[in-house]
Amino acid sequence: MNLADIQEEVPSLNLNFINSIWEQCFKRAIKDAEDEMGKKCSLISLSWQEVFEEEYRLLNDN
């Protein structure tokens, strides 16, 4: 399910709402990721494209 599908089901989840919570959600996600990995994150921001359009692969740093 992508964001457009979710917005269709939940119309209040519009761009204005997403923008209003973006920074708070980003900070929480960073904290959760750092807690899970036991490492600090060097990211200071993420763009719409980075979050919703780019594909990612998880690599194991051995």
Side-chain angles (χ1 to χ4, degrees):
M1 185 174 262
N2 63 35
L3 183 58
D5 294 335
I6 295 168
Q7 287 177 310
E8 193 172 305
E9 290 184 26
V10 185
S12 62
L13 188 58
N14 59 38
L15 187 55
N16 287 334
F17 177 74
I18 293 169
N19 285 332
S20 76
I21 64 169
W22 189 271
E23 190 65 30
Q24 178 185 357
C25 291
F26 176 75
K27 288 177 183 177
R28 180 56 193 239
I30 291 292
K31 183 181 178 335
D32 288 350
E34 289 175 341
D35 290 348
E36 267 189 44
M37 296 185 308
K39 295 180 181 180
K40 284 289 187 185
C41 179
S42 61
L43 287 175
I44 57 172
S45 67
L46 285 171
S47 70
W48 182 272
Q49 181 180 356
E50 290 171 315
V51 173
F52 294 109
E53 297 172 13
E54 289 183 15
E55 290 189 30
Y56 293 89
R57 296 180 192 269
L58 297 177
L59 301 175
N60 189 0
D61 296 338
N62 287 337

